Amino acid sequence: MAQFNDMSSAPAMEQLPTNARPRGGFAFDLCSRDQQIGTSIAAAGGRLPQAMKTGTTIVGVIYKDGVVLGADTRATGGTEVCDKNCEKIHYLSDNIYCCGAGTAADTEKTTEMISSQLELHRLNTGMQPRVVTAVTLLKRMLFRYQGHVSAALVLGGCDVNGSHLYHIYPHGSTGKLPYVTMGSGSLAAMSVFETDWREDMDEAEAIEVVKQAIRAGIFNDLGSGSNVDVTVIRKPEAGGTTTVMRGYDTPNEVADLRAGYTRPKAIVVPRGATAVLSKEVALSDLVTVEDAPTPMAF
């Protein structure tokens, strides 16, 4: 657990007057202050908390009837696994989903805000949002923050213009491709796509390629792991439906391994092995026992 030291005795640090700070976005004048705080805490033997990152292998591919997105489910904080079943495929609208890599909080809140804007757009226009609308909103927001929002995204969806697949970098640059990979396991996943991808794949073939690409990231990248999540988005002429498959593949399932393992008898401590010296409980003089207040009547 991280310890936070009292900074009340630290020397005063310069800050811009409130009226001189930018009205929107981050207050970059606080960067030097934060650096001084970190240096002071480190000098006193403390440690600043680290942001939880997704590590991540995220991919997407276009097939003849829609788009398939895939992601692993490991979230890490430094060298520790924080979450073994993190959901990295985020809902934007019924026909648009987005995979996120980078800082977990940034990817979740960024996609949540854009999803809200797309829903308002749908209510105002009475039409299903276009994929390019979601891409434009995301790239403008990320560019405004100049890369300080750590969200690398793979966005896929289908609309009246067909199937679309984009990758969006934290600084706001985008690209439109038939298949994309992002995250720390992207190179391993890309090797699978470059070997097995072909045009006009059917849905089953696309799902299999995405699954194998994510597995390549899971087994070749320390920041990726656990399970494979898959989301299939279909064109309007193919039904216009979306299927979200959480835990589509579980290559690291250990239930069978644990079921077949027998613990050595030497480390199984039987009940009663430790002698009980006393069963009496005595309150210390330092403990004050008070009756709870009477609850308020409703």
Side-chain angles (χ1 to χ4, degrees):
M1 180 182 295
Q3 295 181 349
F4 295 90
N5 298 321
D6 183 13
M7 298 300 297
S8 58
S9 60
M13 302 170 189
E14 291 187 10
Q15 296 186 22
L16 290 176
T18 303
N19 57 4
R21 295 183 183 174
R23 293 181 179 272
F26 291 114
F28 292 101
D29 58 291
L30 299 181
C31 291
S32 59
R33 183 209 66 170
D34 295 341
Q35 186 176 6
Q36 292 181 43
I37 291 175
T39 303
S40 301
I41 292 178
R47 183 175 67 89
L48 286 173
Q50 301 296 315
M52 186 174 71
K53 295 180 179 292
T54 57
T56 302
T57 302
I58 54 175
V59 306
V61 64
I62 291 179
Y63 72 101
K64 65 180 181 179
D65 290 325
V67 178
V68 179
L69 302 176
D72 71 299
T73 61
R74 171 179 290 181
T76 57
T79 58
E80 300 174 355
V81 177
C82 298
D83 189 352
K84 294 181 179 179
N85 197 28
C86 173
E87 187 172 5
K88 302 181 185 181
I89 305 180
H90 307 283
Y91 171 91
L92 292 182
S93 69
D94 290 342
N95 62 315
I96 308 170
Y97 279 74
C98 183
C99 305
T103 302
D106 288 350
T107 59
E108 289 184 11
K109 296 306 295 185
T110 297
T111 54
E112 186 179 298
M113 287 189 293
I114 300 304
S115 177
S116 174
Q117 294 182 41
L118 289 175
E119 178 63 12
L120 292 174
H121 181 274
R122 184 188 68 82
L123 293 172
N124 285 328
T125 62
M127 296 185 297
Q128 189 181 62
R130 307 284 178 91
V131 178
V132 70
T133 304
V135 174
T136 303
L137 290 172
L138 281 166
K139 68 192 298 183
R140 286 180 177 176
M141 175 193 169
L142 293 174
F143 178 76
R144 186 165 64 248
Y145 288 104
Q146 294 291 295
H148 291 276
V149 173
S150 179
L153 308 171
V154 170
L155 184 146
C158 299
D159 55 28
V160 294
N161 295 321
S163 304
H164 309 274
L165 183 65
Y166 294 85
H167 57 180
I168 307 171
Y169 287 93
H171 287 81
S173 60
T174 61
K176 184 177 182 182
L177 297 165
Y179 59 89
V180 298
T181 67
M182 295 191 82
S184 54
S186 60
L187 294 179
M190 182 58 74
S191 68
V192 174
F193 278 132
E194 291 181 342
T195 302
D196 297 335
W197 179 86
R198 61 181 179 80
E199 293 187 23
D200 295 327
M201 291 188 295
D202 60 29
E203 184 174 308
E205 292 173 329
I207 292 175
E208 180 63 21
V209 171
V210 166
K211 184 187 81 170
Q212 294 302 329
I214 298 298
R215 286 175 66 104
I218 287 174
F219 292 118
N220 293 281
D221 171 47
L222 292 178
S224 307
S226 297
N227 306 325
V228 178
D229 286 349
V230 173
T231 295
V232 182
I233 308 167
R234 300 174 184 87
K235 293 179 179 179
E237 54 267 29
T241 58
T242 299
T243 303
V244 177
M245 293 177 276
R246 284 279 282 157
Y248 175 76
D249 186 37
T250 55
N252 294 300
E253 182 60 52
V254 296
D256 294 338
L257 177 63
R258 289 180 176 175
Y261 175 74
T262 303
R263 298 182 59 167
K265 293 183 179 180
I267 65 173
V268 178
V269 181
R271 183 182 294 274
T274 302
V276 179
L277 301 180
S278 174
K279 293 185 178 180
E280 295 182 1
V281 178
L283 293 177
S284 170
D285 295 336
L286 301 177
V287 178
T288 301
V289 180
E290 298 180 353
D291 293 333
T294 304
M296 183 181 297
F298 292 96

